[in-house]
Amino acid sequence: MQKHVSLLGKRDYILFFVVTLLTGVFFGLFAYIGVDAIHDGMMLKTALDLESGQSLHKEVWFIFGSLTAYIQVFFLWALGDTLASLRTSALCAYALCSGLLYLCWRQFLPVSLALLSVFVWYVFAPFYLPSNLGRFHIWSSVYALLFQALSLLLLISTSTSTSRKPTILYLCCGITASLTFWCRQPVGVFLTMACGAALIINHLKERRLLLRSLVFFALGCLAVHGFALACLFSKNALGDWYFQTIQFPAKWAQDTLGGNPVARMLVGTFSVGNWSRKALVLLLAVTTPWAFRNKIPRPIRRALPLYTGLFFVLSYALLVPSWGRYQIINSLSTGLLAVLPFIFLIWGIWLSVLSVVPWRRIPAGSTPMLISAVFVSVASLLQYMPQRCDHHIFWALTPVVGLFVYLVWQYTKIQSRWIVIGFLLFLGPIIVDRLILAQNKLSIPYVTLSKPSVLRGLHVTGEETQWQDFGEAIEEQYKKHSTQSILLMGWHHVAGASGKSYPRIAPIFAYDKFYSPDPRRWESIWAASVKTARPLIVTELEREELVEKFLTKANYCSSAKFEKLGIELFVPLASPSEDSVMASTAQSPKNSVGSRTH
């Protein structure tokens, strides 16, 4: 391998701020476009309920890491109770993550290749796609990425060739790995295991340092987990947290994948489709001749640049039309996800052996850094299953990009400037396509929402413009009725988050038979809500019979239908009679939202 051990300098910290700022500006162009009524609404409704004083997991159902919810609550408090505030929180997480990853990759890459890695990461982002595919999600994975990058930077910092390795780095690494868990559980589990394994291998020859690193890393983990669990215990929500964030996701994964979720996840991770194989063959066909250029005749060696250029032209001319517009980037990304776990696992084992057995061709300072990066990359590649969508693939590949560039650089053994040119050529059609998609998306004449208040400032088009009509309709009904609350019976959580009174009248924000197989339980909750508050009710246009019967018993009538959104607004006519069926079930449920009966 080529000898390259770099320590961060003043220029790198300047570039950290430059990369962070550029990411914020660039991603910010797409951050406030569109509304995902289900996914955005789930996160927004949870954050609004917490801000109003309700207890997480005890009164508010939430299957993701608790830290994600409280980060979003902070941004609601700082910027206002809008979905745009949560989009800003995700934008800040992406920006800081990009800067931290540049510092990580700069440890084993020259500046040009570290910046190239950031650019390649931009190319893989799904935000350029049309609104229904390229949502700017405020998912827990976004915040987990930030702590992943920070953990990797701390882990690499413990392995740089310095005379002293302060124990504070091991402690902080344990803290950030645990914070990752409290943002998104599977990412945190894999990351913690990866960090622990990297510390063991890097310090295997130094028994005292190994023991100290593991002790302080464990202390960092215990400090975070202990504090979080103590808070849950003090609120009597420990059982609810376990059911919602551990048991329920495990059941969902099992139902989604079928069979043993861990086994199916591994099979899915290492699977590869026909189009992905073509993309990988294209990549290998371009790089392999360069790797063996010293063993081929000089005339052929001189023709390698010409071969590379012609290969790109012919390959893309033949393959791209059959792939379709979006298939090429999906093929490349899923192909990388299929092959990189194999490569990185083998690479990690090889580096681990080299760290124990002296090897003169490997610089002593570079091996621990690479081991840290490889282990964290493998952990990231496992976390995207069982959802193989553009966003989950993007999140899984994020910490991996720089290491993949390094792998190509070492495999081909050519100068960094030719690596930059090669990547730009290889990704050229994709870059052009992304630019066209971005221009098309940004040139659409959007409507800026002003109502409902929680969607204020977002730019929408097409069917989503009807959210403005929905906001005006509920404000009109607020003037006619004494309540300003909304009870949601469906999946459009943004509609449920549009009520003005806090705390919200329903302890659960969605009607879902998967959460509660017993319909009587839901009727009891709804009955208690409408008897005391008489809120507006939002349902799906295609409702279940249980919902239809309840609306009739509760004396509600339809006020407006929003066909493009797929929802309908109901308003109360009068309080239901005491001798109705409603009264018999109008009692508060004994169990909390997180209990097993829910």
Side-chain angles (χ1 to χ4, degrees):
M1 285 190 180
Q2 300 172 5
K3 183 176 181 179
H4 185 83
V5 180
S6 67
L7 297 177
L8 300 177
K10 186 176 181 180
R11 180 179 60 173
D12 296 311
Y13 292 108
I14 295 175
L15 287 174
F16 162 79
F17 288 106
V18 172
V19 169
T20 301
L21 181 62
L22 285 177
T23 303
V25 173
F26 183 53
F27 283 16
L29 296 175
F30 308 93
Y32 305 100
I33 296 176
V35 176
D36 187 331
I38 297 177
H39 299 94
D40 284 343
M42 289 175 63
M43 310 302 283
L44 176 62
K45 180 67 168 65
T46 298
L48 288 171
D49 285 345
L50 292 181
E51 189 188 30
S52 71
Q54 296 188 46
S55 176
L56 185 62
H57 301 302
K58 193 66 180 176
E59 297 174 288
V60 179
W61 176 282
F62 196 60
I63 64 174
F64 304 107
S66 306
L67 182 58
T68 294
Y70 286 111
I71 290 174
Q72 294 183 337
V73 168
F74 171 79
F75 275 85
L76 289 183
W77 171 80
L79 302 178
D81 294 345
T82 65
L83 180 57
S85 300
L86 301 191
R87 296 282 182 86
T88 302
S89 70
L91 180 61
C92 292
Y94 275 128
L96 287 172
C97 177
S98 65
L100 291 172
L101 285 175
Y102 166 78
L103 294 180
C104 295
W105 298 332
R106 180 66 185 91
Q107 299 276 7
F108 49 83
L109 287 173
V111 174
S112 59
L113 295 187
L115 293 175
L116 172 68
S117 302
V118 175
F119 177 77
V120 172
W121 181 62
Y122 286 172
V123 173
F124 276 91
F127 313 132
Y128 321 105
L129 301 178
S131 295
N132 59 329
L133 298 173
R135 304 285 189 187
F136 196 89
H137 282 308
I138 51 176
W139 224 231
S140 57
S141 299
V142 180
Y143 310 98
L145 276 180
L146 175 60
F147 293 107
Q148 273 183 279
L150 191 54
S151 298
L152 178 57
L153 181 61
L154 291 168
L155 193 61
I156 290 177
S157 299
T158 64
S159 58
T160 52
S161 53
T162 56
S163 57
R164 296 185 61 186
K165 298 181 175 64
T167 54
I168 189 65
L169 292 178
Y170 304 120
L171 182 68
C172 292
C173 187
I175 290 174
T176 54
S178 301
L179 291 176
T180 306
F181 172 86
W182 289 97
C183 285
R184 189 167 186 262
Q185 300 90 321
V187 185
V189 170
F190 290 131
L191 179 63
T192 302
M193 294 169 60
C195 291
L199 289 175
I200 292 173
I201 294 173
N202 286 339
H203 303 320
L204 199 57
K205 292 182 179 180
E206 305 171 86
R207 300 288 180 86
R208 295 181 61 183
L209 183 58
L210 172 61
L211 180 61
R212 185 174 63 177
S213 64
L214 291 179
V215 167
F216 279 90
F217 177 77
L219 286 176
C221 294
L222 290 175
V224 173
H225 293 312
F227 175 79
L229 294 175
C231 291
L232 290 169
F233 180 79
S234 66
K235 296 180 180 180
N236 196 27
L238 192 58
D240 301 328
W241 165 80
Y242 181 77
F243 174 67
Q244 294 172 32
T245 64
I246 306 298
Q247 285 187 319
F248 176 78
K251 184 180 187 304
W252 176 82
Q254 184 176 5
D255 292 344
T256 302
L257 294 171
N260 186 290
V262 176
R264 294 293 299 167
M265 181 191 71
L266 294 176
V267 171
T269 300
F270 294 111
S271 64
V272 57
N274 182 46
W275 296 115
S276 301
R277 281 192 289 268
K278 292 181 180 180
L280 292 174
V281 169
L282 176 62
L283 181 62
L284 291 173
V286 172
T287 56
T288 300
W290 289 95
F292 296 96
R293 67 186 185 281
N294 293 329
K295 298 181 180 180
I296 59 180
R298 181 173 296 180
I300 300 178
R301 190 189 317 163
R302 290 178 177 177
L304 280 179
L306 179 62
Y307 156 80
T308 303
L310 290 176
F311 190 90
F312 278 128
V313 173
L314 292 176
S315 297
Y316 280 113
L318 294 174
L319 295 179
V320 171
S322 65
W323 278 350
R325 186 165 188 179
Y326 309 119
Q327 190 63 53
I328 184 170
I329 187 66
N330 291 334
S331 298
L332 182 59
S333 58
T334 54
L336 290 176
L337 280 173
V339 72
L340 286 183
F342 285 116
I343 295 176
F344 284 172
L345 281 173
I346 296 173
W347 194 10
I349 294 172
W350 173 244
L351 289 173
S352 301
V353 172
L354 295 181
S355 67
V356 179
V357 180
W359 192 268
R360 62 187 179 186
R361 296 180 60 192
I362 305 294
S366 64
T367 303
M369 288 191 294
L370 293 176
I371 288 174
S372 301
V374 167
F375 274 68
V376 171
S377 296
V378 171
S380 181
L381 289 171
L382 293 173
Q383 61 98 3
Y384 78 99
M385 291 297 290
Q387 287 292 328
R388 180 176 275 179
C389 69
D390 292 327
H391 286 81
H392 284 84
I393 291 173
F394 173 63
W395 294 327
L397 285 175
T398 292
V400 181
V401 176
L403 193 61
F404 177 68
V405 172
Y406 177 85
L407 185 64
V408 174
W409 180 44
Q410 295 297 304
Y411 177 59
T412 57
K413 300 180 177 67
I414 58 178
Q415 295 180 352
S416 58
R417 66 174 179 269
W418 294 111
I419 294 292
V420 174
I421 295 173
F423 264 92
L424 294 179
L425 283 174
F426 183 77
L427 298 174
I430 302 175
I431 295 171
V432 172
D433 188 58
R434 293 302 217 205
L435 289 175
I436 294 174
L437 289 172
Q439 182 184 14
N440 292 340
K441 190 168 186 177
L442 295 176
S443 61
I444 295 174
Y446 290 101
V447 173
T448 302
L449 295 176
S450 59
K451 299 176 183 179
S453 60
V454 292
L455 300 183
R456 185 175 60 249
L458 294 181
H459 311 299
V460 297
T461 186
E463 298 176 351
E464 294 176 350
T465 57
Q466 205 169 36
W467 283 112
Q468 182 76 22
D469 301 331
F470 173 78
E472 294 173 355
I474 61 175
E475 285 197 1
E476 181 181 350
Q477 295 301 326
Y478 288 158
K479 297 176 182 179
K480 296 180 180 180
H481 299 83
S482 59
T483 182
Q484 291 189 341
S485 299
I486 291 180
L487 173 62
L488 175 66
M489 296 182 180
W491 279 103
H492 286 67
H493 305 303
V494 165
S498 301
K500 289 187 176 180
S501 65
Y502 305 102
R504 284 172 169 73
I505 45 86
I508 310 177
F509 55 65
Y511 165 56
D512 182 2
K513 291 191 296 184
F514 191 78
Y515 294 159
S516 177
D518 185 2
R520 293 171 298 179
R521 163 65 62 181
W522 278 102
E523 192 172 7
S524 174
I525 295 173
W526 294 339
S529 300
V530 301
K531 183 180 179 182
T532 57
R534 301 298 287 165
L536 307 180
I537 293 180
V538 176
T539 73
E540 310 291 329
L541 285 179
E542 298 182 0
R543 298 180 290 274
E544 301 227 3
E545 185 179 357
L546 171 66
V547 177
E548 202 71 54
K549 289 182 178 179
F550 175 84
L551 292 170
T552 302
K553 295 176 184 178
N555 203 13
Y556 273 74
C557 70
S558 175
S559 172
K561 289 184 179 181
F562 304 93
E563 302 283 349
K564 296 179 180 179
L565 301 178
I567 58 177
E568 187 170 358
L569 178 64
F570 285 81
V571 297
L573 291 177
S575 298
S577 59
E578 292 297 329
D579 58 349
S580 67
V581 180
M582 289 290 303
S584 64
T585 58
Q587 54 184 352
S588 300
K590 296 180 180 180
N591 296 316
S592 69
V593 62
S595 63
R596 296 176 185 271
T597 57
H598 285 273

